[in-house]
């Protein structure tokens, strides 16, 4: 219990989007907040992604958390100057098997989001800049055949954020808050509950810069959770998912529009699950085994600086090696170029993303000691759900 004259203290380990989601919620709930981050800036999963807040393609608890996160994201645009916009998501179908998945989705009102629309290929093509006529600065009328684009679904409510600046701006907002502080270059060595005979007490957090006392601790260390709680990581089968991504220059005439998902995306997200998605997997196993081999999710987001974030492949490791496979990169880039109807894409940067993954749960939650909560998203949707998870965790503490 918190006394009326005591401002409860919470220490959050990890300055990624999940950790910062807890920090925002805790500040809004009246806590005094210290965020601890071992690196000098956030450099892991929360900056190495698409910036896609894809609530419309999630179901179950992930869907609930994603929808709860959306208004928090919108609020942080105003409060923290986060670069994010309501972009929607365009799911494109370039085969009959992919089109069948969209038709099955649209036929189920429990899965098809309010305001969503099925589009013909001709209706969707201008969103990709590959249809119509106009000036040299207009849509690409001669950028290749658009006949492969059979259909699409436009899901209007999703957000696209700039992942490289969003987390930094949220951290800066937390640090500037009168009850908030972010300590970078601070490594945690251990967390220990300290209870008196009556069961009350605090939690001690030992760091390379000294001990911090708190009423609550949230460990949001992502794939690094095993460094503090190895038994939890082993019991939850937490591994590292390594993925390959690239930043490319947007083709001429591409309007700043929705995030774009492809047929491979239909195999990854709960909203598309069903007999048609099963048939699509079998179809791709026959026609595009190379995409299934790298566990591809061919998708991209359009950023305000005129670039696209393109990806990605997925491989699971105990500890991810740092090496990029150029074959994977070229395969993903070729697929994105085909969707856009261009012969190729100009690559500006390539990188490896790493996030926590597990076959046992989507979110690892545990309370290994009194006053200590461990939270790791283990399915690669931290940007989509992290702010919602933080709000739920803090609400349970308040």
């Amino acid at each position: 219990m918190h006394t009326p004259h005591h401002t409860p203290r919470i220490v959050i380990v990890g300055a990624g989007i999940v950790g910062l989601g807890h920090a925002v919620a805790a500040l809004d709930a009246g806590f005094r907040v210290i965020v601890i981050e071992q690196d000098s800036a956030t450099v892991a999963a929360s900056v190495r992604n698409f910036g896609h807040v894809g609530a419309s393609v999630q179901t179950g608890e992930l869907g609930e958390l994603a929808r709860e996160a959306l208004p928090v994201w919108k609020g942080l645009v105003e409060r923290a100057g986060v670069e994010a916009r309501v972009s929607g998501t365009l799911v494109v179908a370039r085969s009959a098997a992919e089109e069948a998945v969209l038709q099955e989705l649209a036929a189920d009102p429990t899965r098809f989001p309010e305001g969503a629309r099925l589009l013909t290929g001709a209706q969707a093509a201008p969103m990709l800049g590959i249809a119509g006529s106009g000036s040299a600065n207009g849509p690409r009328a001669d950028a290749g055949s658009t006949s492969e684009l059979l259909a699409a679904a436009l899901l209007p409510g999703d957000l696209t954020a700039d992942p490289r600046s969003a987390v930094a701006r949220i951290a800066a907002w937390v640090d500037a808050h009168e009850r908030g502080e972010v300590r970078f270059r601070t490594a945690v060595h251990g967390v220990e509950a300290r209870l008196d005979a009556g069961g009350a007490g605090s939690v001690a957090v030992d760091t390379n810069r000294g001990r911090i006392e708190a009423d609550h601790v949230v460990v949001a260390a992502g794939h690094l959770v095993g460094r503090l709680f190895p038994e939890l990581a082993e019991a939850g089968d937490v591994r590292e998912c390594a993925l390959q991504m690239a930043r490319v220059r947007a083709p001429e005439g591409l309007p700043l529009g929705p995030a774009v998902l492809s047929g491979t995306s239909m195999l990854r997200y709960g909203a598309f699950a069903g007999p048609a998605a099963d048939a699509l997997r079998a179809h791709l196993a026959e026609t595009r085994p190379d995409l299934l081999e790298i566990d591809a999710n061919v998708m991209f987001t359009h950023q305000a600086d005129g670039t696209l974030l393109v990806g990605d492949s997925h491989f699971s490791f105990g500890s991810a090696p740092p090496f990029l496979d150029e074959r994977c990169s070229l395969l993903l880039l070729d697929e994105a170029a085909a969707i856009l109807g261009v012969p190729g894409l100009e690559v500006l940067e390539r990188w490896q993303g790493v996030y926590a993954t597990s076959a046992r749960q989507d979110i690892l939650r545990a309370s290994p000691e009194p006053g200590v909560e461990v939270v790791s998203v283990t399915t690669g949707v931290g940007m989509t759900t992290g702010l919602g998870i933080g709000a739920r965790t803090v609400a349970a503490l308040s």
Side-chain angles (χ1 to χ4, degrees):
M1 291 284 293
H2 303 138
T3 66
H5 304 294
H6 172 68
T7 301
R9 302 157 296 170
I10 186 169
V11 170
I12 298 163
V13 181
I17 192 61
V18 177
L20 292 173
H22 285 80
V24 170
L27 288 171
D28 288 346
F31 285 76
R32 186 171 300 280
V33 176
I34 299 176
V35 179
I36 298 173
E37 171 57 51
Q38 66 178 6
D39 294 310
S40 60
T42 300
V43 295
S46 294
V47 300
R48 305 187 198 186
N49 60 77
F50 297 99
H52 183 222
V53 185
S56 64
V57 297
Q58 306 296 335
T59 56
E61 184 187 19
L62 293 179
E64 294 171 2
L65 290 166
R67 290 186 289 275
E68 291 165 16
L70 283 173
V72 185
W73 273 107
K74 293 174 183 177
L76 288 170
V77 171
E78 299 296 325
R79 295 199 287 175
V82 169
E83 295 181 78
R85 59 189 175 87
V86 179
S87 63
T89 299
L90 184 71
V91 190
V92 299
R94 296 188 297 146
S95 71
E98 293 171 357
E99 185 177 12
V101 176
L102 297 186
Q103 291 172 343
E104 186 176 271
L105 172 67
D108 185 347
T110 66
R111 290 189 291 153
F112 204 49
E114 182 179 355
R117 292 186 292 141
L118 273 185
L119 306 175
T120 65
Q123 289 172 325
M127 299 181 190
L128 302 173
I130 56 174
S133 59
S135 67
N137 295 322
R140 296 181 302 280
D142 60 347
S145 171
T146 62
S147 62
E148 288 187 3
L149 184 58
L150 299 182
L154 181 61
L155 314 177
D158 296 335
L159 270 67
T160 293
D162 179 350
R164 302 187 181 200
S165 66
V167 176
R169 292 191 180 186
I170 297 171
W173 180 84
V174 170
D175 194 54
H177 196 284
E178 62 180 359
R179 285 180 280 102
E181 182 181 357
V182 180
R183 300 182 185 179
F184 288 105
R185 303 183 187 88
T186 304
V188 176
H189 302 317
V191 178
E192 179 185 5
R194 305 176 68 183
L195 303 178
D196 60 24
S202 63
V203 186
V205 182
D206 289 317
T207 81
N208 62 333
R209 297 178 183 271
R211 172 167 286 194
I212 306 171
E213 299 283 344
D215 298 289
H216 306 280
V217 172
V218 173
V219 177
H223 64 281
L224 302 179
V225 63
R227 295 187 178 181
L228 279 175
F229 297 101
E231 295 86 0
L232 282 181
E234 291 167 4
D237 192 25
V238 178
R239 294 170 58 80
E240 296 184 5
C241 183
L243 49 95
Q244 294 188 201
M245 295 185 64
R247 177 171 165 262
V248 307
R249 197 178 307 281
E252 183 180 358
L254 179 66
L256 183 64
V260 176
L261 305 185
S262 72
T264 53
S265 309
M266 300 175 192
L267 305 182
R268 299 192 64 84
Y269 299 116
F272 305 109
D278 295 339
L280 172 59
R281 183 177 295 278
H283 172 73
L284 290 175
E286 292 182 3
T287 61
R288 296 304 307 270
D290 51 347
L291 293 175
L292 295 185
E293 181 185 350
I294 67 170
D295 197 7
N297 177 15
V298 179
M299 65 168 288
F300 53 85
T301 59
H302 198 171
Q303 299 294 313
D305 64 357
T307 64
L308 306 179
L309 304 183
V310 178
D312 56 3
S313 55
H314 301 82
F315 293 98
S316 177
F317 302 92
S319 294
F323 311 109
L324 298 178
D325 184 338
E326 187 66 4
R327 181 183 66 90
C328 290
S329 294
L330 294 177
L331 181 57
L332 295 166
L333 290 166
D334 286 348
E335 284 297 299
I339 291 171
L340 288 163
V342 296
L345 295 166
E346 179 187 353
V347 177
L348 304 175
E349 295 174 320
R350 302 179 196 264
W351 66 92
Q352 180 191 67
V354 179
Y355 63 74
T357 187
S358 173
R360 297 188 182 177
Q361 69 278 306
D362 293 330
I363 304 170
L364 173 66
R365 296 184 180 94
S367 299
E369 295 192 53
V372 180
E373 303 293 329
V374 176
V375 182
S376 285
V377 178
T378 55
T379 188
V381 291
M383 290 291 279
T384 298
T385 62
L387 299 183
I389 294 169
R392 283 196 182 185
T393 303
V394 171
L397 300 178
S398 301

